[in-house]
Amino acid sequence: MSDRGPAVDRDRQEGLLALAVALRPELHRYCSRLMGSVIDGEDVVQDTFARAFVALDELCDVPQLRPWLFRIAHNRALDLLRSRTIRAAEPIEAALEVVDEAKADPVEMLMRRQAVQTAVSRFAELPIPQCSVIILKDVLDEPLAEIASLLDITVDAVKGHLARGRARLREINAHATPLPDARIASAAVVRYVTLFNQRDWDGLRALLADDVKLHQSLHPPRSGAADVGMFFTIYAKGDVRVTPAWLEGREVIAVFEHRSHPKPDYFMWLEWREGRINFIRDYRYVRYVADDAELVLVKDAIGRGTG
């Protein structure tokens, strides 16, 4: 346990909190592509900051927070990927020539733009080193030297992974199929959406299991029907509407803060047990998660226009 004074520890925690707000979207862009999922990517981001708060209290020297947090996130994502045996890391081979950021040309800029526009799920088809390097360089525009430091490899190896990864990503995009049409919405989700858009908060509370849990990033978790039931009060004002949707093979609920908005502002997803809701994950306070989400709306379900 740290023997520093409380003021020093408080300054450290406040510094990490301030950086967390600014860095979370950028960390999520990295983690979601590495995991191939915006939902799993946010889980890694949350876990990163939880681990960082614990580790920071034990460190004698204050690290440079930004690269330190990226390293924690990178290692945590790799742990999860390896545990799921999704893919194997490729060996580091001889580097190919890659233009550095100081010498960027139109072709280089085009490749970066293609990476930014590539669907999150397609990055999962890349070997881990190629995936990491492409995200850091082409999506987040990190210098080659900093990428090498983060991944603990040479700059030449970074260039090699980048060249091979870009070539592979072009192949993936060339053969990619369009997003499938959404499946039909389940009766349970349609019921939730209908009650929500009718502002029937008591009806929604009646759907909660006694041991229901609510997770909202940046806020403490809630548990129990009485406590979680207060969640709906944040939606009592305004013109918020919801509609069923699908994301990464999961049935979710897209949230529009105003009926005039052309795309969802964020989403939530529910878990059910014996006809009642036992888990709610709400992304209201981390809307960057929806920026890269490949949401497919269920157009024929009761949605935004009701109420």
Side-chain angles (χ1 to χ4, degrees):
M1 191 66 179
S2 170
D3 57 0
R4 298 180 303 271
V8 176
D9 287 335
R10 185 169 58 252
D11 288 344
R12 284 185 164 199
Q13 298 286 356
E14 289 176 354
L16 185 57
L17 281 172
L19 186 63
V21 174
L23 195 57
R24 282 187 80 106
E26 197 173 355
L27 270 175
H28 182 263
R29 294 182 78 191
Y30 179 70
C31 295
S32 62
R33 286 166 173 81
L34 197 58
M35 299 299 297
S37 161
V38 296
I39 291 175
D40 291 346
E42 177 60 16
D43 289 342
V44 173
V45 171
Q46 287 204 80
D47 196 31
T48 295
F49 282 102
R51 289 166 181 257
F53 274 113
V54 173
L56 196 63
D57 191 49
E58 302 295 332
L59 294 175
C60 295
D61 298 320
V62 180
Q64 289 185 312
L65 289 178
R66 187 178 186 279
W68 182 62
L69 287 170
F70 261 96
R71 190 168 291 111
I72 294 174
H74 175 80
N75 291 336
R76 180 55 181 155
L78 291 193
D79 287 344
L80 292 173
L81 289 171
R82 287 166 180 155
S83 68
R84 298 173 188 173
T85 62
I86 292 179
R87 344 165 244 203
E90 64 165 17
I92 296 175
E93 302 168 0
L96 302 177
E97 280 302 314
V98 172
V99 180
D100 205 345
E101 60 279 353
K103 308 173 184 176
D105 59 16
V107 175
E108 178 88 356
M109 298 307 297
L110 174 62
M111 287 187 286
R112 294 183 189 177
R113 187 162 59 249
Q114 288 174 342
V116 171
Q117 294 171 349
T118 295
V120 167
S121 59
R122 293 178 196 163
F123 283 86
E125 300 181 42
L126 291 171
I128 292 173
Q130 293 179 11
C131 185
S132 297
V133 168
I134 283 186
I135 300 166
L136 290 167
K137 179 60 180 172
D138 288 347
V139 179
L140 299 179
D141 198 24
E142 292 290 314
L144 296 177
E146 292 188 16
I147 297 172
S149 177
L150 172 63
L151 301 181
D152 197 23
I153 58 178
T154 66
V155 170
D156 282 345
V158 170
K159 292 180 178 181
H161 290 314
L162 187 59
R164 290 189 295 274
R166 284 171 169 174
R168 176 63 184 138
L169 200 60
R170 286 196 298 271
E171 292 178 10
I172 292 170
N173 284 331
H175 296 92
T177 57
L179 285 175
D181 292 335
R183 289 174 279 179
I184 62 172
S186 67
V189 166
V190 169
R191 183 182 179 193
Y192 181 97
V193 165
T194 301
L195 291 171
F196 190 106
N197 289 338
Q198 291 175 346
R199 299 299 192 262
D200 187 350
W201 310 125
D202 288 337
L204 286 175
R205 293 185 181 101
L207 295 178
L208 300 177
D210 292 339
D211 59 349
V212 63
K213 292 180 174 58
L214 167 67
H215 284 191
Q216 294 175 295
S217 297
L218 306 179
H219 288 263
R222 294 173 176 260
S223 61
D227 194 20
V228 175
M230 299 298 294
F231 161 70
F232 299 112
T233 61
I234 66 175
Y235 293 106
K237 298 179 181 179
D239 190 34
V240 179
R241 291 291 184 272
V242 297
T243 191
W246 287 85
L247 172 64
E248 300 171 358
R250 184 196 306 265
E251 189 174 24
V252 299
I253 295 170
V255 183
F256 295 78
E257 288 219 316
H258 194 277
R259 66 179 69 237
S260 65
H261 289 185
K263 59 179 293 186
D265 295 282
Y266 56 98
F267 62 93
M268 64 180 77
W269 57 272
L270 314 175
E271 290 183 3
W272 301 77
R273 186 183 64 232
E274 298 177 354
R276 302 179 73 186
I277 301 168
N278 69 319
F279 182 80
I280 302 173
R281 181 68 181 270
D282 181 78
Y283 293 86
R284 174 186 177 94
Y285 300 108
V286 285
R287 302 184 182 202
Y288 56 79
V289 177
D291 290 344
D292 294 317
E294 301 166 56
L295 281 164
V296 181
L297 304 182
V298 180
K299 295 183 175 64
D300 58 348
I302 298 174
R304 285 181 283 167
T306 63

